[in-house]
Amino acid sequence: MASGDLERGGGSNVKNRGNSYNQSSSSSYYVENNEKQWTSWLVPMFVVANIAVFVVVMYVNNCPKNNQGFEGGCVARFLGRLSFEPLKENPLFGPSSNTLEKLGALNWEKVVHGNQAWRLITCIWLHAGVIHLLANMLSLIFIGIRLEQQFGFIRVGLIYLLSGFGGSVLSSLFIQRSISVGASGALFGLLGAMLSELLTNWTIYTNKAAALITLVVIIVINLAVGILPHVDNFAHIGGFLTGFLLGFVLLLRPQFGWVGRKQLPSGARVTSKHKAYQYLFLVIAMVLLIAGFTVGLVMLFRGENGHDHCSWCHYLSCVPTSKWHCGN
């Protein structure tokens, strides 16, 4: 494997969904009000689950037994069967691509022709190596815990899982000759939800322009990393779009007048819970979500290639330069 999301080239065929999320992406721009603050437990559980899955993957990989030595010896052999594949095969300190594929990596051929649609979900919980895992889990902690504290585990959990699924669907439509793993699609979904949450609750925030600019810059930088080779930016984009639309549906905040209605004198006019534009955004987002998933899944299971419908889309995931090529 090589670094990045989709590990292609250099003797590798895995795309790990890498990222460069900045801690500032979780900066608070929320206005304090009387809304309930939740205790975050689901996001930490997701982190623990991802780490546990990685340990199991390394145990199954068993480099000392299964490595043939063609790319060198196992790394950190003192770990026994948990030792890593040779760096020439996987510079991220992780398992072989064969092990990842066996345990549920996203593989278009097996999803479409092998009746293994479950890979659209299992690939979210797999990581190509320690570096890949560490980057994603730190990002999940910085982004996810604050969102869960604000909106609760049900809404944040739905956004995380559905965004990861959306990223897998888009990735499968465009990446059909490599396997792909990683939670980055789900993480980009949380970033997208943060953006739509700011937009739909625009009237209750202070310093909203600065918050919007900061968030957009962070998102653009992270998506820009995806144009490097070996990175599955289609998973990033699919996850981001899914989370962005879900934010309009799941992350509405009530207006201040509604929150403080119990303290108003008798007979005072009560502000409506939500603005009309919030309901409009919700309806539009629901329509786009249903249409997007329907079209995407129909195209996927009909075996269609997204590049046949978008000749320039390959530039969204890799831009060739004099320093590298994008292969297939």
Side-chain angles (χ1 to χ4, degrees), residues 132-148:
H132 189 205
L133 176 69
L134 182 62
N136 275 350
M137 292 307 99
L138 288 176
S139 301
L140 178 57
I141 290 171
F142 291 140
I143 300 171
I145 286 181
R146 184 54 190 255
L147 279 177
E148 187 179 355

Side-chain angles (χ1 to χ4, degrees), residues 5-6 15 174-175 225-235 237 307 312-319 326:
D5 267 8
L6 287 157
K15 285 202 178 238
F174 288 93
I175 306 296
V225 172
I227 66 174
L228 297 174
H230 313 301
V231 179
D232 183 2
N233 212 29
F234 290 112
I237 295 171
H307 293 292
W312 55 268
C313 282
H314 61 280
Y315 292 116
L316 294 176
S317 189
C318 183
V319 176
C326 296

Side-chain angles (χ1 to χ4, degrees), residues 54-229:
F54 183 75
V55 172
V56 171
V57 170
M58 293 308 304
Y59 184 84
V60 172
N61 186 67
N62 195 359
C63 181
K65 177 181 178 180
N66 298 319
N67 179 262
Q68 304 298 318
F70 299 123
E71 300 290 345
C74 300
V75 177
R77 293 188 67 92
F78 63 89
L79 295 174
R81 66 184 295 157
L82 298 180
S83 58
F84 310 120
E85 291 295 312
L87 295 182
K88 286 186 177 180
E89 179 177 353
N90 186 349
L92 299 178
F93 299 97
S96 67
S97 58
N98 288 335
T99 298
L100 289 172
E101 184 173 358
K102 179 170 67 175
L103 295 181
L106 188 60
N107 181 308
W108 176 83
E109 181 69 27
K110 293 187 176 181
V111 169
V112 176
H113 300 296
N115 298 318
Q116 298 180 16
W118 47 266
R119 290 178 178 271
L120 295 168
I121 296 295
T122 55
C123 66
I124 303 169
W125 304 94
L126 298 173
H127 287 84
V130 172
I131 296 175
H132 189 205
L133 176 69
L134 182 62
N136 275 350
M137 292 307 99
L138 288 176
S139 301
L140 178 57
I141 290 171
F142 291 140
I143 300 171
I145 286 181
R146 184 54 190 255
L147 279 177
E148 187 179 355
Q149 289 172 341
Q150 292 288 329
F151 296 101
F153 69 94
I154 294 178
R155 287 184 280 185
V156 171
L158 283 173
I159 292 171
Y160 182 88
L161 294 174
L162 289 176
S163 296
F165 179 74
S168 295
V169 171
L170 190 64
S171 175
S172 296
L173 287 173
F174 288 93
I175 306 296
Q176 301 185 350
R177 284 181 283 182
S178 298
I179 66 173
S180 180
V181 296
S184 298
L187 295 172
F188 268 90
L190 296 181
L191 280 177
M194 289 179 67
L195 178 59
S196 56
E197 189 274 327
L198 174 60
L199 295 175
T200 196
N201 301 316
W202 186 258
T203 58
I204 70 172
Y205 285 125
T206 59
N207 300 321
K208 42 201 170 191
L212 178 61
I213 293 172
T214 301
L215 194 52
V216 169
V217 168
I218 291 170
I219 292 169
V220 169
I221 291 174
N222 282 284
L223 286 175
V225 172
I227 66 174
L228 297 174

